[in-house]
Amino acid sequence: MFSNWSTVSSMNYLAGSISWFFGLALWLTSMDWCRRAFWEVYYRCHIVGFLGFMLFAYIHYSGSWVYFCPGLLLWCIDLALRSGALANTTTVAHSAVDASEDVITLQLQGSKRVGGCPIQDIFLLLPSISRWQWHPFTISHLSAEGMLTMRIKKQGDWSRELLARLKRREILPVRASLPPYGAPLQWRQDEVVVVLAGGIASTAVLRVLSDLVARHAQGETPSPRRVYFVWAARNAVEFCVLDRAVAGAAMSADGWMEVSLYLTSQQPLHTSMEMKASAALEKLSSQGSDSGSDRLPKLVAADSTIPASFPLASPFWWNRVRKLQPQATGPLHLAIVTALTFFGGFVGHFVTHSWTAELEAHAASLGEDPDLNYIEWRNAALASFGFFVGGLGFPFLLAVFLPNLYRYLRDTRTGSATDEQMEVNSSVHDTVAMDCKLVGDQLVVPGTDLSIPIASGRPDFAAVLQAAAKETGAKHVGVYVAGPEPLAQAAHLAICELNGSGKGCAHFDLHNMAGFL
């Protein structure tokens, strides 16, 4: 029965069996042991497994579109928007590598069109490294001028190749995809905020701290009464990416922010190692940078200028370099794409289903009975094709491609007043160091007498949370966690114990800010 291809029933059992095996492969390769150890296997199987599972499920039972449509239409909205964004070409505005060659800092200049979006995540593709692999990163800082800062830890072939190209001072084309709108900024509403971070995953919460510090400095409301930041890292050099403004707020006399740093490695801090680390983040870029602080990035003039174009970098031949463009220009644009996706998907599906009626009418005109077993599975395969053509092609052509093409032509024409094009300068070498540096067992802000002590060992999360609630008298405390799974689990268990046992005098709300692929 399971090997029958629609000869005894309109239900195609063999297609259902094939769909099941595609789904099994999709599930197995998505598990941690495969996804983390064999990323390329997971990545390819995820694409092939999804397409095979969906297509053969359609062929198995033509009515399965009812179950697929809700999720697929939402996915089509995202895919249509991303397909428009991926054609735009930009470049690395500023880049840096630490002395241990373990942490890479990238900065991209965002367009003024991005200004209204609360951006937290970004997907990057570097065509000179791979034309197919998109890598997600968390934005650790977004300046008022639209400069996006990302911290990338060297952890695989892609990041190693990126490091090698930066060390050779190559000017890299970049294609990036920004989500149209981020999640609500819950930390602004909390009475007290506790941030728990581990290693380089702290980049997911540095954006939170920068936002809170800026709002506190300007006296904006709502804003938490107190902020506690606890950061544990195995490598001390990772502390040096701490923003100067955040470090300054921690050393302020008002006591609004408290920062605690913990070095979890067994080796003690040695002065020689620290002095080497203090020279980290040497700029390997075409322009100077503020390395993520609120200072205005300075554009360094150069004697020679490389034409701001990367041939073959874009699949649509949009090779002129522009500032980072958003997926959607506003709520109205997003609403139009959503409406066209739903309209196109249903129209494409119903139009292809009319093929069944045509065959039945043709058979009736010949005085024959239509072979429904023959018709059903072919019509289902055709319907899946029509669904994607309508659900993707219709919104992409009308609401994504044409508006993006218009903006590209307007931005790159001679004498354009949009200020979206970028100059790519060469032969510039700026040796400004990190925002902070290591001296002894202290994290020091250069040019000031401000320093934060670094303790050895691991923090006691339960004690930190209890102390925060006791010192402030808060009834609700927002806890934002970003770190490897052991740290996130320890924080989760500490919060559950305090909330469930009555030991805490406040209720702690957990927010996981970082995910690991």
Side-chain angles (χ1 to χ4, degrees):
M1 177 65 74
F2 291 104
S3 62
N4 181 267
W5 188 271
S6 247
T7 58
V8 298
S9 169
S10 60
M11 195 81 70
N12 193 318
Y13 295 104
L14 179 57
S17 301
I18 296 174
S19 176
W20 184 85
F21 281 110
F22 271 111
L24 180 64
L26 183 67
W27 172 67
L28 288 175
T29 55
S30 297
M31 301 182 73
D32 285 353
W33 61 268
C34 180
R35 188 178 71 251
R36 294 188 174 183
F38 308 100
W39 168 260
E40 294 295 334
V41 173
Y42 156 76
Y43 182 76
R44 288 168 173 77
C45 287
H46 195 73
I47 297 174
V48 175
F50 163 72
L51 294 176
F53 173 76
M54 189 207 66
L55 176 62
F56 284 99
Y58 255 80
I59 296 174
H60 166 64
Y61 172 53
S62 60
S64 61
W65 70 272
V66 176
Y67 309 104
F68 280 108
C69 269
L72 285 179
L73 285 171
L74 295 176
W75 178 69
C76 285
I77 296 170
D78 176 65
L79 186 58
L81 290 170
R82 283 191 286 122
S83 298
L86 65 84
N88 295 311
T89 304
T90 186
T91 188
V92 176
H94 315 116
S95 60
V97 181
D98 69 354
S100 62
E101 297 189 353
D102 191 52
V103 178
I104 303 168
T105 297
L106 289 185
Q107 288 186 319
L108 302 178
Q109 178 61 58
S111 165
K112 60 184 179 182
R113 297 167 182 148
V114 180
C117 302
I119 298 169
Q120 298 177 35
D121 302 299
I122 188 173
F123 286 79
L124 297 182
L125 183 145
L126 276 69
S128 57
I129 298 178
S130 171
R131 300 191 67 88
W132 305 104
Q133 291 188 4
W134 288 87
H135 291 259
F137 298 102
T138 300
I139 296 173
S140 62
H141 187 271
L142 174 60
S143 72
E145 294 75 27
M147 187 67 72
L148 285 69
T149 302
M150 290 143 284
R151 314 287 187 179
I152 302 172
K153 188 169 184 177
K154 185 180 69 175
Q155 217 166 9
D157 294 338
W158 188 89
S159 56
R160 291 191 184 95
E161 180 64 21
L162 173 61
L163 173 63
R165 291 175 182 270
L166 292 177
K167 290 172 65 177
R168 294 196 297 267
R169 294 171 173 78
E170 291 187 18
I171 300 175
L172 302 175
V174 177
R175 285 159 41 200
S177 179
L178 292 171
Y181 292 97
L185 306 182
Q186 175 62 37
W187 55 82
R188 295 179 177 179
Q189 314 296 327
D190 291 321
E191 184 180 0
V192 173
V193 168
V194 178
V195 177
L196 307 176
I200 198 63
S202 62
T203 55
V205 291
L206 290 178
R207 173 88 170 88
V208 176
L209 295 172
S210 297
D211 179 71
L212 290 176
V213 168
R215 290 178 65 83
H216 179 70
Q218 297 171 7
E220 297 183 16
T221 58
S223 183
R225 293 191 287 111
R226 286 286 299 277
V227 177
Y228 298 84
F229 179 35
V230 179
W231 187 1
R234 184 177 301 174
N235 301 317
V237 71
E238 292 176 1
F239 294 135
C240 296
V241 302
L242 184 65
D243 190 271
R244 293 191 186 203
V246 175
M251 297 294 101
S252 177
D254 62 5
W256 174 75
M257 174 178 284
E258 180 179 319
V259 175
S260 302
L261 305 178
Y262 291 86
L263 185 66
T264 60
S265 62
Q266 298 299 321
Q267 287 186 342
L269 284 168
H270 296 292
T271 303
S272 59
M273 183 269 297
E274 294 161 0
M275 293 307 294
K276 179 182 178 181
S278 68
L281 273 187
E282 177 184 274
K283 300 297 169 123
L284 302 177
S285 162
S286 60
Q287 301 170 355
S289 170
D290 63 356
S291 196
S293 70
D294 286 326
R295 293 168 293 154
L296 177 64
K298 297 180 179 179
L299 300 180
V300 181
D303 297 331
S304 61
T305 301
I306 297 177
S309 177
F310 291 101
L312 304 180
S314 168
F316 296 156
W317 301 281
W318 298 353
N319 302 320
R320 296 292 294 274
V321 175
R322 292 187 297 161
K323 297 175 182 177
L324 197 59
Q325 303 294 313
Q327 286 184 0
T329 55
L332 179 60
H333 183 206
L334 191 59
I336 292 174
V337 173
T338 301
L340 290 177
T341 299
F342 276 75
F343 177 77
F346 282 111
V347 168
H349 200 281
F350 293 140
V351 167
T352 50
H353 261 292
S354 65
W355 182 69
T356 302
E358 292 291 335
L359 284 181
E360 291 178 350
H362 177 69
S365 67
L366 298 177
E368 301 175 354
D369 292 330
D371 185 357
L372 295 180
N373 295 345
Y374 169 86
I375 293 174
E376 285 292 330
W377 75 266
R378 286 171 171 80
N379 187 65
L382 183 62
S384 65
F385 176 77
F387 175 83
F388 277 106
V389 169
L392 281 175
F394 202 58
F396 175 75
L397 178 62
L398 296 181
V400 176
F401 177 78
L402 291 179
N404 274 282
L405 176 61
Y406 168 74
R407 287 197 297 267
Y408 174 78
L409 295 176
R410 186 182 63 176
D411 294 341
T412 58
R413 71 186 179 190
T414 304
S416 173
T418 59
D419 192 31
E420 292 295 321
Q421 292 194 72
M422 294 179 61
E423 285 189 354
V424 183
N425 298 316
S426 62
S427 306
V428 176
H429 181 62
D430 183 3
T431 57
V432 178
M434 290 183 183
D435 276 341
C436 299
K437 65 180 182 179
L438 297 169
V439 177
D441 59 353
Q442 303 283 322
L443 184 68
V444 177
V445 179
T448 71
D449 57 355
L450 302 178
S451 64
I452 303 173
I454 302 175
S456 298
R458 299 179 182 275
D460 184 343
F461 291 147
V464 170
L465 296 173
Q466 285 180 309
K470 184 177 180 180
E471 290 177 9
T472 60
K475 297 301 181 183
H476 289 85
V477 177
V479 183
Y480 297 83
V481 180
E485 286 188 357
L487 182 144
Q489 291 175 358
H492 195 177
L493 291 175
I495 291 172
C496 290
E497 181 181 355
L498 292 175
N499 285 339
S501 64
K503 295 180 181 179
C505 54
H507 179 79
F508 300 92
D509 297 319
L510 175 64
H511 304 272
N512 192 4
M513 301 295 290
F516 282 79
L517 298 177

